[in-house]
Amino acid sequence: MRITVFGANGPTGRLLTGRALAFGHDVTAVTRQPESFPLHHDRLDVVGADVLDPAAVDGAVAQRDAVLSTLGVPAGKEPISTYSSGAANIVSAMQRHRVRRLAVVSSSGVDPHPYTDGGILFNRLLLPYVTRVLGKTLYDDMRRMETLIRATDLEWTIVRPSGLYHLPSVTDYAIVEGHADGRFTARADLAASLLAVLDDQRYVRRTIGVITTADNPTLFQWIRHEALAKR
């Protein structure tokens, strides 16, 4: 397939791009900083573009078979519109060029539920704080993105991972329609799932959760290696 990846220079985007190339696809990797993109391949086209620029998005989507979005922005108190505005530009370009297949990364934090293995600290304190306070503007914009995408006639899949962390390779991850009862998702598994759903009609116009079921960190390991490392 001819695939465009938005957010290609992020941790998940790089894994997704590499995996797509390994599976024989032609990839257009869209990033605002093409000079720092680490991958090189004769089937890879690295495009310097901003998802908030409609003309640039249009050029990156034209003549593609599918679009994947791994866009990500830091949480903060300021209003966030990257997800919804970027999705609006992507959807418009896809409709203009008659590209049908779309898969986007959202988050389990959009629709938070207690987790059976979460415990009191996670379920009653950390989860509400992250989703309602620390990441409120981020998750609000993800909800706008999801609403916008669901209103289209595209063949979309919304992919909601849980807390992201690093593993060196893909595991036997789980895909669940709706809420997935797992607190963590390895980026390698998220990248693999995004590529896998493209050819699977079961997930067309569905919202799915992706979780890693083995080698998960503890909550404190995750905070130390992921949350605190970003500061």
Side-chain angles (χ1 to χ4, degrees), residues 5-213:
V5 178
F6 288 94
N9 214 3
T12 302
R14 292 179 179 182
L15 292 171
L16 174 59
T17 300
R19 188 172 179 86
L21 291 169
F23 275 71
H25 302 294
D26 294 336
V27 181
T28 298
V30 182
T31 170
R32 291 183 298 171
Q33 299 177 318
E35 68 281 352
S36 68
F37 196 72
L39 303 181
H40 303 275
H41 199 283
D42 59 2
R43 282 185 279 102
L44 173 65
D45 183 19
V46 181
V47 174
D50 191 326
V51 72
L52 301 181
D53 180 349
V57 172
D58 188 87
V61 168
Q63 299 181 336
R64 302 286 95 184
D65 299 311
V67 175
L68 300 172
S69 173
T70 60
L71 291 172
V73 297
K77 294 182 179 179
E78 296 299 319
I80 292 173
S81 61
T82 301
Y83 296 100
S84 57
S85 298
N89 289 337
I90 291 170
V91 165
S92 294
M94 291 181 67
Q95 292 172 331
R96 189 176 304 113
H97 294 286
R98 299 183 180 180
V99 180
R100 300 293 301 158
R101 194 68 177 99
L102 171 67
V104 301
V105 174
S106 182
S107 171
S108 61
V110 166
D111 185 24
H113 289 72
Y115 293 92
T116 56
D117 68 340
I120 293 176
L121 174 64
F122 186 88
N123 286 332
R124 297 188 181 181
L125 296 177
L126 184 60
L127 184 62
Y129 176 71
V130 169
T131 57
R132 299 174 189 172
V133 181
L134 182 63
K136 182 181 186 304
T137 59
L138 183 147
Y139 294 121
D140 284 347
D141 195 42
M142 283 187 170
R143 292 185 189 96
R144 289 190 290 269
M145 173 187 72
E146 290 193 4
T147 299
L148 184 153
I149 289 171
R150 289 194 187 96
T152 73
D153 62 353
L154 299 175
E155 296 176 0
W156 54 263
T157 304
I158 295 170
V159 182
R160 292 176 174 173
S162 294
L164 294 171
Y165 71 105
H166 173 73
L167 281 180
S169 58
V170 178
T171 75
D172 187 18
Y173 61 89
I175 292 178
V176 178
E177 187 170 343
H179 173 67
D181 191 16
R183 290 182 292 160
F184 302 108
T185 307
R187 292 183 182 89
D189 291 342
L190 175 58
S193 70
L194 284 163
L195 204 58
V197 299
L198 288 185
D199 291 325
D200 198 326
Q201 290 298 308
R202 292 177 298 171
Y203 303 120
V204 171
R205 300 191 180 93
R206 295 290 186 270
T207 299
I208 61 174
V210 177
I211 54 172
T212 299
T213 57

